[in-house]
Amino acid sequence: MSKQHQFDVLIIGTGSAGLMSALQLSDDLSIALIAKDKILEGSSYYAQGGISAVLDTDDNFDAHIKDTLETAAGLGDESAVRFMVEQAPDAIASLEESGVHFTRKADQYHLTTEGGHSARRVAHVADKTGESIQTNLLSNVKNKKNITLFESHIAIDLLTKNSNCYGAYILNKSTNTVESFITHKTIIATGGASKAYLYTSNPDTSTGDGIAMAYRSGCDIVNMEFTQFHPTCLYHPHAKSFLISEALRGEGGKLILPNGDAFMRKYDDRAELAPRDVVARAIDFEMKTNGFDCVYLDISFKEKSWLQEHFPTIYKKCISFGIDISKDPIPVVPAAHYTCGGIQTNLDAQSNITNLYAIGEAAHTGVHGANRMASNSLLECIVFAKSCAKHINLQTFNEAQPKFDNWDASRVTPSQEKVVVSHLWDEIRRIMWNFVGIVRSNKRLHYAQLKLTQIQSEVNEYYRLYLISNDLIELRNLVKIAQIIVQSAITRTESRGLHYNEDYPEKADQPTDTIIQKS
Ligand code: FAD
Ligand code: SIN
């Protein structure tokens, strides 16, 4: 007999969105907080550059809003952007209350800048902002008696009836059994889906599970064609997913070709600090046209001691690969970094399924539109985690819950062919990289769609026959996410922000969101 748990609130995901929402929920509520891996594993922990907020007297909310909307290329939702920007100083205060010490110069914040920002407004903890946020939030969570942490528990599907959510089926990876978590409110905080691509800056957790689960339950999934490619990931055979922060360009780092020529001015007057879509496309163009394996980012004009103080993680990581960034240019390539689309939510983080909320990278709040501005993601995580918790705290919890059957594993057998899972996983990620990358075309998108339809039926068959496992759950989600991205990209017959299709190089007159819903 598999276990059933009862909680008031289930939070799926322990990134900065999940942890902050747990901390902001009322102490009267019983909360289950689950992570499919170690609690700290997720994109939040690896965030480098920082979190944006108007903190300087020379800056103002209108400028932050304008920059965010300009970067969003016509698809940003102004009211959501205003909501986020105006709450940014409060988000910073909440993080400080939890113990985060942002880097300061004398008694002022040391603010950096990144692409798209017209002012210095990125608060950071050297280049370990995510590590500091995550370790502090977690230590606060551990002090709360009403929160139970479940590590190595992976959510499979939501428990829904009549467009109402009552929790989720969750695989306990230590016992290999599926447990039911029956709850009044469920918050999806599962992060993004950049693992759909072969090369990514993201950790292995970013397989879009929450978005795929929400899709299967009938949520609107919006603007998934906008995958953000970070222009500068370290290019080295052993440097899996290592990011070279945009903050290096904020401090004057130059992008150069192998012969030393700077090239960004050819593409945009803002050069290295143009928004990411522009910089990533420029690098992609230079690499493809000239047959280069990578381009280079040069920050060697800065003193070694300054680099060690401001970018200690990057400095040490590069040294471990034999690159001294105070002398050598850093080899870099673009890689999938951020999922701008996701589960449609309102300002209280509610989805269109009753009692189901989504926050962080899994959500589509409208603040990023067709392209996210750097350091607005951690901000979105914190602001919407807080508004979500505030909304839940105002609810009553006396609703009767329907009965759900325990997970039935009587008709499946252990698989002897696990290679099928790893093969299909690899195939999906290659298809996405080769045919649904930085530059797209109708032909490539339709080819990807055809291939993914075949893979989907193989995955369905495998899922029907064999015992559930972490890899199978992720594969099932990944193929669905890849299909949603391709379907969204095919639907958008224009080029805008992060979506560039050679067959439709112009922007449409009227920007519209792409909404995908299970038929
Ligand atoms: P994550 O932090 O990714 O957490 C997801 C959580 O969900 C994890 O706990 C995971 O275990 C859990 N999970 C996933 N699926 C399941 C499942 N099926 N069952 C149970 N648990 C599940 N943004 C900025 O604003 N500033 C930056 O400086 C910055 N730097 C970045 C650097 C790197 C290298 C990367 C990868 C991203 C960076 N970003 C930055 C983006 C930002 O870090 C992320 O968008 C943000 O942290 C996402 O937070 P999240 O809480 O939504 O998800
Ligand atoms: C970076 O430090 O370059 C990442 C910032 C971000 O993704 O917002």
Side-chain angles (χ1 to χ4, degrees), residues 216 420-421 423-425 427-428 451-466 471-480 483:
R216 288 193 288 270
V420 173
V421 174
H423 174 84
L424 292 178
W425 175 284
E427 207 178 333
I428 295 166
K451 293 301 255 180
L452 290 168
T453 307
Q454 288 163 1
I455 294 174
Q456 170 81 79
S457 56
E458 289 174 53
V459 172
N460 286 350
E461 183 66 357
Y462 198 95
Y463 189 78
R464 198 174 61 77
L465 292 175
Y466 298 115
D471 291 354
L472 180 53
I473 294 167
E474 290 185 341
L475 174 69
R476 177 176 175 240
N477 292 330
L478 211 66
V479 68
K480 182 43 70 191
Q483 286 182 306

Side-chain angles (χ1 to χ4, degrees), residues 85-110:
V85 164
E86 291 184 351
Q87 308 215 23
D90 173 67
I92 298 287
S94 297
L95 289 171
E96 286 180 319
E97 263 166 47
S98 78
V100 176
H101 293 291
F102 288 101
T103 301
R104 283 176 177 267
K105 209 164 76 189
D107 58 346
Q108 309 276 330
Y109 291 106
H110 177 268

Side-chain angles (χ1 to χ4, degrees), residues 36-85:
K36 67 177 171 181
D37 201 308
K38 299 261 181 283
I39 299 289
L40 287 178
E41 187 60 3
S43 290
S44 298
Y45 186 83
Y46 299 99
Q48 295 181 351
I51 171 164
S52 54
V54 172
L55 297 167
D56 190 292
T57 44
D58 288 342
D59 196 8
N60 60 69
F61 289 151
D62 285 342
H64 191 177
I65 292 166
K66 183 168 175 277
D67 294 346
T68 302
L69 288 172
E70 261 175 34
T71 305
L75 272 182
D77 173 339
E78 187 165 353
S79 56
V81 173
R82 180 168 294 281
F83 177 78
M84 176 179 81
V85 164

Side-chain angles (χ1 to χ4, degrees), residues 13-14 16-17 36 43-44 47-50 155 191 202 209 338 361 375 377-378:
T14 55
S16 51
K36 67 177 171 181
S43 290
S44 298
Q48 295 181 351
N202 281 212
D209 298 357
Y338 186 82
E361 197 172 330
S375 291
S377 171
L378 288 174

Side-chain angles (χ1 to χ4, degrees), residues 9 151 186 192 234 312 314 360 381 387 411:
V9 185
E151 200 165 70
T186 302
L234 183 59
I314 294 171
C381 286
S387 70
R411 277 168 296 198

